[in-house]
Amino acid sequence: MTSDLLNLEGVTKSYASSGLLARKTFNAVDEVGFALDASRPEIFAIIGESGSGKTTLARMILNMVPTSAGTIRFRDKALATIRGRRARLDFMRQVQPIFQNPYEAFNPLKRVDRYLYATARRLARVGRTEVDRVCDEALRKVGLSLAEVRGRFPHELSGGQLQRTAIARALISGPALLVADEPVSMVDASLRMSIVDLFKALRDELGVSIVYITHDLATAYHISDRIIIMQKGRVVESGDARAVLDNPQHPYSKLLKSAVLSPDNAETDEKVADPSVLPFDTRTV
Amino acid sequence: MNARPRANGAADVMLDVKNLRAYYVMQYFGTQREVRAVDDISLQVGRNEIYGLAGESSSGKTTFIKTIAAAIRPPLTVIGGSIRYSFLDRDIYKLDRVALSAIRWRYLSYIPQGSMNVLNPVRRVRESFIDFALPHMGLPKQQFFAAIIAHLERLQLTPGVLDAYPHELSGGMRQRIAIALATVCRPDFIIADEPTTALDVVVQKSVLELIREAQREIGSSMIFVTHDMAVHANISDRLGIMYAGRLVEEAPTAEIFRSPKHPYTQHLIASLPRIGDLSAKRALTGAPPSLAEPPSGCRFHPRCPLAMDICRETHPELVSIDPRHRVACHAVSPAVGPDRVFAAAAKQRTGLVQ
Amino acid sequence: MMKTVRDLFRYNLEFALGAILILIVFGFAAASFFSPYPPMDSYVVAPDVPPSWAYPFGTNSRGQDVFWQLTLAIRNSLLFGLSVALMSRILSLLIGLVAGYAGGITDRILMTINDTFVVIPLFPILVLFFFMMRDNMSWPMLAVAMASLGWPYDARLIRSVALSLRTREFTAMSVFSGMSTRQILVEEHLPYVLPIVFSTTLNNMNWSIGLEVTLSVIGFTNIETPTIGTMIYWANQHTAMVAGVWWWILFPVVLVIMTFLGLYLLSVSMNEYIDPRSRLTRMGGQA
């Protein structure tokens, strides 16, 4: 119990949808519970489609929205008891978010480095002279350097570079937990796997635990240790990532897996193209 | 040469794009900028074929379909080249507004990424059908609706959706209606722009099946654009890969997945994560180039594991390496000497896939 | 900065027109410092002289030179409009940004106050204010009164922008970078709100100058200070139109129209220029 990094018990978030006569409530997140072990860093994937409540769950873990019922504990401290600026800064030092759209996560009118500097100064409490070194160090962990990022506006960097910068910023304060909400869905295919693999490296080399929220079963399979599958706010299946995805038990998990498109299950037999289709100029042949 | 198409080939080409160049030419308070989003692209789409177009952000694929749909507004400008549809006797971008609206929906229709682009949020679905399809079908109202309902039923949609407002329907349902709308006039050509990207995986699969079915049923040709290679594997007959405003490879889909020739294509396919596959994926270095200042020579060379001197200097032509496979890469092109580079390419490829 | 102004001048007709009009008006106001006689003195020149080379705008029935009096009047009117606009901008910025960012109960309280001010009928309140103050009525006081009535519409506008900024990912990013609320409001959100502040400043000047003219013409202000409104008030008192002293009314009216038009054109063209999205495209990014 005392060795839990993150512990969720019966976490529920309900929203009131006021009808004409009756007030109805619906649970965006319904009785979700799981725990991450502090001594064993892992990548914990939360899988679900839109409306599954996975993003709401992420925002509750980040203490951005309060729970309606149940408790979330980070290092045995309930998030609901975090009051005051000092306590909140202390929490943010240890738990950091990675957002979905890197072009949105950085203010388009501001230089990218200001977020790095702010984190270093205010969260990591780094002295003025050390700031550059600390930021550069964090950027090197993700394969960038301060020279590449300093003074740049978001639109001057690629989606992949920006997402790396966002990860570097999150690492500055030396967090124990990263909450990444769809971190690669807006990143180009040719760069996507490098970000995904970066998460693996963070876990193995820096001992950071990562809550990886995604709709993409294939990347989850690739990097996560454990997963939970959510449907309409409820956890329908959970367990070891490989075991669950190789052999899903719940009908919804089976449905999800069967819907994953991959070149291997392409119905090639159906589209043996009519050989007469293609007249094109054969310039060299 | 035994795969050589029928002699009367020209009749089977539904869309013939030749050397198309479309740039964004912008002037902001005196400074001129030019973004070469589509640079010298030639391709043909045959009858009854789904031509997949793959590319990342800033590959120019969106600009390309804007251009072939004649949705050209400044700063986008067609610099040169031709776009010929079989149902038109001239380049589509030379048509005026009236002529364009006469062919839209009837001959050329469009499935957008967000169905709300075609469905009016404050009007019932029925009104959208009246707006778009009625002028082209030339039927009295009663017969028109009979035809619409028959069409919806073929696509396994209940006629009840006609009386719904778009916001009352789920995203997948709206996208199905957008597909019904795009196919109801039995157009010769359909342009699909990331039609399933915004959908959840389960819905995506059924929508893809629907598109395939509708296309087969009305026998039209289609350009299907998405960045998702797994989707292409499941829907496209033939696949064109775009990179930085150019077409770098083109072949039947199965062929591309079986033996990709361009290093970029090879990477795209090798880096696809799969369930049941835990092998490490190698990432490309660098990032897609800016189209405002593309690299010299081959635009892929700064990121290419096979880059040679010639790649930095001259840009490789898209050449046919067999009748159905075109590729733009010096390492593959016969001019450089295939024997020498093929060995290197093969070595590299095994390295990439590991 | 000079380059952007020059570019605006060259490529934006509205801006060029507006700027020329406002320059003329301001030049006119600046000329008041060179008046050959104290502008408030009466019977320093011959009364009721029509426009001539000696007196370009003529003289009025009180023996004042309309030209020199107008320079002071427009200076006062502009100063008045500017101070009302600045004071009410500060109020609307503060209330709009805080309400939008804080949300919840803070937002509800602030917006209730806001809406109360929206429904208060302005004109009767200002007339009432005049009757309460009577002889103690001064221009700074009227400016404060109007500023405290002139903010709510724009505060609501700013709040709506702040509300959408709050849900943007970069706001959460700023929070998790340890930035303080003040820093987020001032450094992250303010740039998005500035175009609104800028164009509403110009609009608010128009509004306050217009209201001041209305109040003055019917005599509900301190009529001893020359402004465009009080000039027209005195002209009416001397039945200038009936007496055929048309220049006493015409020139102030033309000048105030030039001011309105100039401010309006500037606000329209500036809006287009300062809008963050068009600014981004100029910087070379995608909007």
Side-chain angles (χ1 to χ4, degrees), chain B residues 132-183:
Chain B
F132 292 124
L134 189 60
H136 296 295
M137 309 253 297
L139 293 170
K141 263 212 174 158
Q142 207 150 8
Q143 279 168 279
F144 170 73
F145 278 112
I148 299 279
I149 288 167
H151 183 65
L152 288 176
E153 274 167 355
R154 271 198 299 275
L155 301 183
Q156 274 135 33
L157 288 163
T158 52
V161 297
L162 284 175
D163 291 313
Y165 285 99
H167 65 86
E168 296 172 325
L169 303 164
S170 69
M173 192 57 103
R174 280 203 295 262
Q175 203 62 1
R176 264 169 243 205
I177 292 170
I179 292 162
L181 202 52
T183 50

Short mmCIF file of all heavy atoms in Angstrom, two decimals, chain B residues 132-183:
data_model
loop_
_atom_site.label_atom_id
_atom_site.label_comp_id
_atom_site.label_asym_id
_atom_site.label_seq_id
_atom_site.Cartn_x
_atom_site.Cartn_y
_atom_site.Cartn_z
N PHE B 132 -28.25 19.51 -52.76
CA PHE B 132 -27.14 19.03 -53.57
C PHE B 132 -27.58 18.18 -54.75
O PHE B 132 -27.08 18.32 -55.85
CB PHE B 132 -26.16 18.24 -52.70
CG PHE B 132 -25.44 19.08 -51.71
CD1 PHE B 132 -25.48 18.79 -50.37
CD2 PHE B 132 -24.73 20.19 -52.13
CE1 PHE B 132 -24.82 19.58 -49.45
CE2 PHE B 132 -24.06 20.99 -51.23
CZ PHE B 132 -24.11 20.68 -49.88
N ALA B 133 -28.53 17.28 -54.48
CA ALA B 133 -28.79 16.25 -55.48
C ALA B 133 -29.95 16.60 -56.41
O ALA B 133 -29.90 16.28 -57.60
CB ALA B 133 -29.07 14.92 -54.78
N LEU B 134 -30.97 17.26 -55.91
CA LEU B 134 -32.16 17.49 -56.72
C LEU B 134 -31.87 18.17 -58.06
O LEU B 134 -32.35 17.72 -59.10
CB LEU B 134 -33.21 18.28 -55.91
CG LEU B 134 -34.57 18.41 -56.57
CD1 LEU B 134 -35.20 17.03 -56.81
CD2 LEU B 134 -35.53 19.24 -55.70
N PRO B 135 -31.06 19.23 -58.06
CA PRO B 135 -30.83 19.91 -59.34
C PRO B 135 -30.17 18.99 -60.37
O PRO B 135 -30.32 19.21 -61.58
CB PRO B 135 -29.88 21.06 -58.98
CG PRO B 135 -29.95 21.19 -57.52
CD PRO B 135 -30.36 19.89 -56.96
N HIS B 136 -29.43 17.98 -59.90
CA HIS B 136 -28.68 17.15 -60.84
C HIS B 136 -29.46 15.93 -61.30
O HIS B 136 -29.18 15.37 -62.34
CB HIS B 136 -27.38 16.69 -60.20
CG HIS B 136 -26.45 17.80 -59.87
ND1 HIS B 136 -25.89 18.58 -60.85
CD2 HIS B 136 -26.04 18.30 -58.70
CE1 HIS B 136 -25.14 19.49 -60.28
NE2 HIS B 136 -25.21 19.36 -58.98
N MET B 137 -30.45 15.50 -60.49
CA MET B 137 -31.14 14.27 -60.83
C MET B 137 -32.25 14.53 -61.85
O MET B 137 -32.63 13.63 -62.59
CB MET B 137 -31.72 13.61 -59.59
CG MET B 137 -30.70 13.44 -58.49
SD MET B 137 -30.09 11.79 -58.17
CE MET B 137 -31.51 10.91 -57.65
N GLY B 138 -32.78 15.73 -61.87
CA GLY B 138 -33.82 16.05 -62.83
C GLY B 138 -35.05 15.20 -62.70
O GLY B 138 -35.65 14.78 -63.69
N LEU B 139 -35.45 14.88 -61.47
CA LEU B 139 -36.63 14.06 -61.26
C LEU B 139 -37.68 14.89 -60.52
O LEU B 139 -37.33 15.80 -59.78
CB LEU B 139 -36.30 12.84 -60.40
CG LEU B 139 -35.39 11.77 -60.99
CD1 LEU B 139 -34.98 10.77 -59.91
CD2 LEU B 139 -36.07 11.05 -62.14
N PRO B 140 -38.96 14.58 -60.68
CA PRO B 140 -39.96 15.21 -59.83
C PRO B 140 -39.74 14.77 -58.39
O PRO B 140 -39.21 13.68 -58.14
CB PRO B 140 -41.30 14.70 -60.37
CG PRO B 140 -40.98 13.60 -61.32
CD PRO B 140 -39.55 13.72 -61.71
N LYS B 141 -40.20 15.59 -57.45
CA LYS B 141 -39.84 15.37 -56.06
C LYS B 141 -40.13 13.97 -55.55
O LYS B 141 -39.32 13.39 -54.85
CB LYS B 141 -40.53 16.41 -55.17
CG LYS B 141 -39.61 17.58 -54.87
CD LYS B 141 -39.86 18.18 -53.52
CE LYS B 141 -38.79 19.23 -53.25
NZ LYS B 141 -39.15 20.21 -52.27
N GLN B 142 -41.32 13.47 -55.93
CA GLN B 142 -41.71 12.18 -55.38
C GLN B 142 -40.75 11.08 -55.81
O GLN B 142 -40.27 10.30 -55.00
CB GLN B 142 -43.13 11.86 -55.83
CG GLN B 142 -43.83 10.94 -54.87
CD GLN B 142 -45.33 11.21 -54.89
OE1 GLN B 142 -45.84 11.98 -55.71
NE2 GLN B 142 -46.04 10.60 -53.99
N GLN B 143 -40.46 11.06 -57.12
CA GLN B 143 -39.54 10.06 -57.62
C GLN B 143 -38.14 10.26 -57.07
O GLN B 143 -37.42 9.31 -56.80
CB GLN B 143 -39.49 10.13 -59.16
CG GLN B 143 -40.65 9.42 -59.82
CD GLN B 143 -40.70 9.77 -61.28
OE1 GLN B 143 -41.21 10.82 -61.65
NE2 GLN B 143 -40.12 8.91 -62.11
N PHE B 144 -37.80 11.55 -56.89
CA PHE B 144 -36.49 11.88 -56.33
C PHE B 144 -36.32 11.23 -54.97
O PHE B 144 -35.32 10.57 -54.70
CB PHE B 144 -36.35 13.40 -56.25
CG PHE B 144 -35.15 13.87 -55.48
CD1 PHE B 144 -33.88 13.76 -56.02
CD2 PHE B 144 -35.30 14.43 -54.22
CE1 PHE B 144 -32.78 14.20 -55.32
CE2 PHE B 144 -34.19 14.88 -53.52
CZ PHE B 144 -32.93 14.76 -54.07
N PHE B 145 -37.34 11.39 -54.11
CA PHE B 145 -37.21 10.82 -52.77
C PHE B 145 -37.24 9.30 -52.81
O PHE B 145 -36.57 8.65 -52.00
CB PHE B 145 -38.27 11.39 -51.84
CG PHE B 145 -37.85 12.72 -51.29
CD1 PHE B 145 -38.51 13.88 -51.64
CD2 PHE B 145 -36.73 12.80 -50.46
CE1 PHE B 145 -38.07 15.10 -51.16
CE2 PHE B 145 -36.32 14.02 -49.98
CZ PHE B 145 -36.98 15.18 -50.33
N ALA B 146 -38.01 8.74 -53.73
CA ALA B 146 -38.00 7.29 -53.88
C ALA B 146 -36.59 6.83 -54.20
O ALA B 146 -36.08 5.85 -53.63
CB ALA B 146 -38.98 6.87 -54.97
N ALA B 147 -35.92 7.57 -55.08
CA ALA B 147 -34.56 7.21 -55.48
C ALA B 147 -33.60 7.36 -54.30
O ALA B 147 -32.72 6.51 -54.08
CB ALA B 147 -34.11 8.09 -56.64
N ILE B 148 -33.76 8.46 -53.54
CA ILE B 148 -32.89 8.69 -52.38
C ILE B 148 -33.04 7.55 -51.37
O ILE B 148 -32.06 7.00 -50.88
CB ILE B 148 -33.27 10.01 -51.67
CG1 ILE B 148 -33.11 11.20 -52.61
CG2 ILE B 148 -32.47 10.20 -50.40
CD1 ILE B 148 -31.74 11.71 -52.75
N ILE B 149 -34.31 7.20 -51.10
CA ILE B 149 -34.56 6.17 -50.10
C ILE B 149 -34.00 4.83 -50.56
O ILE B 149 -33.37 4.09 -49.79
CB ILE B 149 -36.07 6.08 -49.78
CG1 ILE B 149 -36.46 7.33 -48.97
CG2 ILE B 149 -36.41 4.82 -49.02
CD1 ILE B 149 -37.93 7.55 -48.84
N ALA B 150 -34.17 4.55 -51.84
CA ALA B 150 -33.60 3.30 -52.38
C ALA B 150 -32.09 3.30 -52.20
O ALA B 150 -31.49 2.29 -51.82
CB ALA B 150 -33.98 3.16 -53.85
N HIS B 151 -31.48 4.46 -52.44
CA HIS B 151 -30.03 4.56 -52.33
C HIS B 151 -29.58 4.37 -50.88
O HIS B 151 -28.63 3.65 -50.59
CB HIS B 151 -29.58 5.93 -52.85
CG HIS B 151 -28.09 6.13 -52.83
ND1 HIS B 151 -27.24 5.39 -53.60
CD2 HIS B 151 -27.31 6.95 -52.11
CE1 HIS B 151 -26.00 5.76 -53.38
NE2 HIS B 151 -26.01 6.71 -52.47
N LEU B 152 -30.31 5.02 -49.94
CA LEU B 152 -29.98 4.88 -48.52
C LEU B 152 -30.09 3.42 -48.09
O LEU B 152 -29.26 2.92 -47.34
CB LEU B 152 -30.91 5.75 -47.67
CG LEU B 152 -30.68 7.26 -47.74
CD1 LEU B 152 -31.73 7.99 -46.92
CD2 LEU B 152 -29.28 7.62 -47.25
N GLU B 153 -31.12 2.76 -48.61
CA GLU B 153 -31.31 1.36 -48.20
C GLU B 153 -30.19 0.48 -48.73
O GLU B 153 -29.73 -0.43 -48.05
CB GLU B 153 -32.68 0.85 -48.66
CG GLU B 153 -33.73 1.21 -47.63
CD GLU B 153 -35.15 1.03 -48.13
OE1 GLU B 153 -35.31 0.71 -49.33
OE2 GLU B 153 -36.07 1.24 -47.33
N ARG B 154 -29.73 0.80 -49.92
CA ARG B 154 -28.60 0.04 -50.44
C ARG B 154 -27.38 0.20 -49.53
O ARG B 154 -26.56 -0.70 -49.41
CB ARG B 154 -28.25 0.50 -51.86
CG ARG B 154 -29.01 -0.24 -52.95
CD ARG B 154 -28.32 -0.05 -54.29
NE ARG B 154 -28.28 1.36 -54.69
CZ ARG B 154 -29.24 1.98 -55.32
NH1 ARG B 154 -30.34 1.33 -55.65
NH2 ARG B 154 -29.14 3.24 -55.67
N LEU B 155 -27.24 1.38 -48.92
CA LEU B 155 -26.11 1.62 -48.03
C LEU B 155 -26.46 1.27 -46.59
O LEU B 155 -25.77 1.68 -45.66
CB LEU B 155 -25.67 3.08 -48.11
CG LEU B 155 -25.25 3.56 -49.50
CD1 LEU B 155 -24.77 4.99 -49.44
CD2 LEU B 155 -24.15 2.68 -50.07
N GLN B 156 -27.57 0.54 -46.41
CA GLN B 156 -28.01 0.10 -45.09
C GLN B 156 -28.23 1.25 -44.11
O GLN B 156 -27.86 1.20 -42.96
CB GLN B 156 -27.03 -0.91 -44.51
CG GLN B 156 -27.35 -2.32 -44.96
CD GLN B 156 -26.11 -3.07 -45.38
OE1 GLN B 156 -25.05 -2.86 -44.82
NE2 GLN B 156 -26.24 -3.94 -46.37
N LEU B 157 -28.82 2.31 -44.63
CA LEU B 157 -29.24 3.41 -43.76
C LEU B 157 -30.76 3.45 -43.78
O LEU B 157 -31.37 3.26 -44.84
CB LEU B 157 -28.70 4.74 -44.29
CG LEU B 157 -27.20 4.99 -44.13
CD1 LEU B 157 -26.76 6.11 -45.05
CD2 LEU B 157 -26.88 5.33 -42.71
N THR B 158 -31.37 3.72 -42.62
CA THR B 158 -32.83 3.77 -42.61
C THR B 158 -33.28 5.12 -43.16
O THR B 158 -32.62 6.14 -42.92
CB THR B 158 -33.39 3.61 -41.19
OG1 THR B 158 -32.71 4.57 -40.36
CG2 THR B 158 -33.15 2.22 -40.66
N PRO B 159 -34.39 5.14 -43.90
CA PRO B 159 -34.88 6.41 -44.46
C PRO B 159 -35.18 7.44 -43.37
O PRO B 159 -35.25 8.63 -43.65
CB PRO B 159 -36.17 6.01 -45.18
CG PRO B 159 -36.06 4.55 -45.40
CD PRO B 159 -35.22 4.00 -44.31
N GLY B 160 -35.33 6.98 -42.13
CA GLY B 160 -35.61 7.88 -41.01
C GLY B 160 -34.56 8.97 -40.83
O GLY B 160 -34.87 10.07 -40.34
N VAL B 161 -33.32 8.71 -41.22
CA VAL B 161 -32.26 9.71 -41.01
C VAL B 161 -32.55 10.99 -41.78
O VAL B 161 -32.04 12.06 -41.43
CB VAL B 161 -30.87 9.18 -41.42
CG1 VAL B 161 -30.47 8.01 -40.57
CG2 VAL B 161 -30.82 8.83 -42.89
N LEU B 162 -33.38 10.90 -42.81
CA LEU B 162 -33.66 12.09 -43.61
C LEU B 162 -34.30 13.19 -42.77
O LEU B 162 -34.15 14.38 -43.05
CB LEU B 162 -34.59 11.75 -44.78
CG LEU B 162 -33.94 11.02 -45.94
CD1 LEU B 162 -34.97 10.62 -46.96
CD2 LEU B 162 -32.87 11.88 -46.58
N ASP B 163 -35.04 12.78 -41.74
CA ASP B 163 -35.75 13.77 -40.93
C ASP B 163 -34.96 14.21 -39.70
O ASP B 163 -35.45 14.98 -38.89
CB ASP B 163 -37.11 13.21 -40.51
CG ASP B 163 -38.03 13.09 -41.71
OD1 ASP B 163 -38.10 14.06 -42.49
OD2 ASP B 163 -38.64 12.01 -41.90
N ALA B 164 -33.73 13.74 -39.59
CA ALA B 164 -32.93 14.11 -38.41
C ALA B 164 -32.10 15.35 -38.72
O ALA B 164 -31.82 15.66 -39.87
CB ALA B 164 -32.02 12.95 -38.04
N TYR B 165 -31.73 16.06 -37.66
CA TYR B 165 -30.74 17.11 -37.79
C TYR B 165 -29.37 16.48 -37.62
O TYR B 165 -29.23 15.51 -36.87
CB TYR B 165 -30.95 18.18 -36.72
CG TYR B 165 -32.13 19.07 -37.00
CD1 TYR B 165 -33.35 18.87 -36.39
CD2 TYR B 165 -32.00 20.13 -37.91
CE1 TYR B 165 -34.43 19.69 -36.67
CE2 TYR B 165 -33.07 20.95 -38.18
CZ TYR B 165 -34.29 20.73 -37.57
OH TYR B 165 -35.34 21.54 -37.86
N PRO B 166 -28.35 17.02 -38.26
CA PRO B 166 -27.02 16.40 -38.18
C PRO B 166 -26.55 16.16 -36.75
O PRO B 166 -25.98 15.12 -36.45
CB PRO B 166 -26.13 17.40 -38.90
CG PRO B 166 -27.02 18.06 -39.88
CD PRO B 166 -28.37 18.13 -39.22
N HIS B 167 -26.83 17.11 -35.83
CA HIS B 167 -26.29 16.95 -34.48
C HIS B 167 -26.98 15.82 -33.71
O HIS B 167 -26.49 15.39 -32.67
CB HIS B 167 -26.40 18.25 -33.71
CG HIS B 167 -27.81 18.68 -33.46
ND1 HIS B 167 -28.53 18.24 -32.38
CD2 HIS B 167 -28.64 19.49 -34.16
CE1 HIS B 167 -29.75 18.76 -32.41
NE2 HIS B 167 -29.84 19.52 -33.49
N GLU B 168 -28.10 15.34 -34.23
CA GLU B 168 -28.78 14.23 -33.55
C GLU B 168 -28.15 12.89 -33.90
O GLU B 168 -28.51 11.87 -33.33
CB GLU B 168 -30.26 14.20 -33.94
CG GLU B 168 -31.02 15.43 -33.47
CD GLU B 168 -32.44 15.49 -34.03
OE1 GLU B 168 -32.66 15.06 -35.18
OE2 GLU B 168 -33.30 15.97 -33.32
N LEU B 169 -27.23 12.90 -34.85
CA LEU B 169 -26.65 11.65 -35.32
C LEU B 169 -25.22 11.52 -34.82
O LEU B 169 -24.55 12.51 -34.55
CB LEU B 169 -26.65 11.62 -36.85
CG LEU B 169 -28.03 11.81 -37.49
CD1 LEU B 169 -27.88 12.15 -38.96
CD2 LEU B 169 -28.87 10.56 -37.31
N SER B 170 -24.76 10.29 -34.71
CA SER B 170 -23.38 10.08 -34.28
C SER B 170 -22.43 10.41 -35.43
O SER B 170 -22.83 10.51 -36.58
CB SER B 170 -23.19 8.62 -33.86
OG SER B 170 -23.28 7.80 -35.01
N GLY B 171 -21.15 10.58 -35.07
CA GLY B 171 -20.16 10.93 -36.08
C GLY B 171 -20.09 9.92 -37.21
O GLY B 171 -20.00 10.27 -38.38
N GLY B 172 -20.19 8.64 -36.85
CA GLY B 172 -20.11 7.59 -37.87
C GLY B 172 -21.32 7.66 -38.80
O GLY B 172 -21.21 7.51 -40.02
N MET B 173 -22.50 7.90 -38.20
CA MET B 173 -23.72 7.99 -38.99
C MET B 173 -23.65 9.19 -39.95
O MET B 173 -24.02 9.09 -41.11
CB MET B 173 -24.91 8.15 -38.03
CG MET B 173 -26.24 7.97 -38.68
SD MET B 173 -26.35 6.36 -39.49
CE MET B 173 -27.35 5.48 -38.34
N ARG B 174 -23.17 10.32 -39.44
CA ARG B 174 -23.05 11.51 -40.29
C ARG B 174 -22.12 11.23 -41.47
O ARG B 174 -22.39 11.63 -42.60
CB ARG B 174 -22.49 12.68 -39.48
CG ARG B 174 -23.52 13.36 -38.62
CD ARG B 174 -23.08 14.77 -38.31
NE ARG B 174 -21.87 14.78 -37.50
CZ ARG B 174 -21.87 14.92 -36.18
NH1 ARG B 174 -22.99 15.09 -35.54
NH2 ARG B 174 -20.74 14.92 -35.51
N GLN B 175 -21.02 10.53 -41.17
CA GLN B 175 -20.06 10.25 -42.24
C GLN B 175 -20.70 9.33 -43.27
O GLN B 175 -20.49 9.47 -44.47
CB GLN B 175 -18.80 9.63 -41.64
CG GLN B 175 -17.56 9.79 -42.49
CD GLN B 175 -17.16 11.24 -42.71
OE1 GLN B 175 -17.78 12.16 -42.21
NE2 GLN B 175 -16.13 11.46 -43.50
N ARG B 176 -21.56 8.40 -42.81
CA ARG B 176 -22.27 7.52 -43.75
C ARG B 176 -23.20 8.33 -44.65
O ARG B 176 -23.32 8.06 -45.84
CB ARG B 176 -23.08 6.50 -42.97
CG ARG B 176 -22.33 5.21 -42.83
CD ARG B 176 -23.03 4.34 -41.86
NE ARG B 176 -22.08 4.17 -40.78
CZ ARG B 176 -22.05 3.16 -39.95
NH1 ARG B 176 -22.96 2.25 -40.02
NH2 ARG B 176 -21.13 3.05 -39.05
N ILE B 177 -23.84 9.34 -44.03
CA ILE B 177 -24.75 10.16 -44.83
C ILE B 177 -23.95 10.99 -45.84
O ILE B 177 -24.35 11.15 -46.99
CB ILE B 177 -25.59 11.07 -43.92
CG1 ILE B 177 -26.55 10.19 -43.13
CG2 ILE B 177 -26.36 12.10 -44.72
CD1 ILE B 177 -27.28 10.89 -42.04
N ALA B 178 -22.79 11.48 -45.41
CA ALA B 178 -21.95 12.23 -46.34
C ALA B 178 -21.57 11.35 -47.53
O ALA B 178 -21.49 11.81 -48.67
CB ALA B 178 -20.70 12.74 -45.63
N ILE B 179 -21.34 10.06 -47.25
CA ILE B 179 -21.00 9.13 -48.34
C ILE B 179 -22.21 8.91 -49.24
O ILE B 179 -22.10 8.92 -50.47
CB ILE B 179 -20.49 7.80 -47.75
CG1 ILE B 179 -19.14 8.03 -47.07
CG2 ILE B 179 -20.36 6.74 -48.84
CD1 ILE B 179 -18.75 6.94 -46.11
N ALA B 180 -23.39 8.75 -48.62
CA ALA B 180 -24.61 8.59 -49.41
C ALA B 180 -24.82 9.81 -50.30
O ALA B 180 -25.16 9.70 -51.48
CB ALA B 180 -25.82 8.39 -48.49
N LEU B 181 -24.57 10.97 -49.73
CA LEU B 181 -24.76 12.22 -50.47
C LEU B 181 -23.78 12.29 -51.65
O LEU B 181 -24.11 12.73 -52.74
CB LEU B 181 -24.51 13.38 -49.50
CG LEU B 181 -25.09 14.74 -49.79
CD1 LEU B 181 -26.58 14.64 -50.05
CD2 LEU B 181 -24.83 15.65 -48.61
N ALA B 182 -22.56 11.83 -51.40
CA ALA B 182 -21.55 11.91 -52.45
C ALA B 182 -21.78 10.89 -53.56
O ALA B 182 -21.27 11.05 -54.66
CB ALA B 182 -20.16 11.70 -51.84
N THR B 183 -22.55 9.85 -53.26
CA THR B 183 -22.69 8.80 -54.27
C THR B 183 -24.08 8.76 -54.90
O THR B 183 -24.30 8.03 -55.86
CB THR B 183 -22.41 7.41 -53.65
OG1 THR B 183 -23.17 7.28 -52.45
CG2 THR B 183 -20.95 7.25 -53.32
#
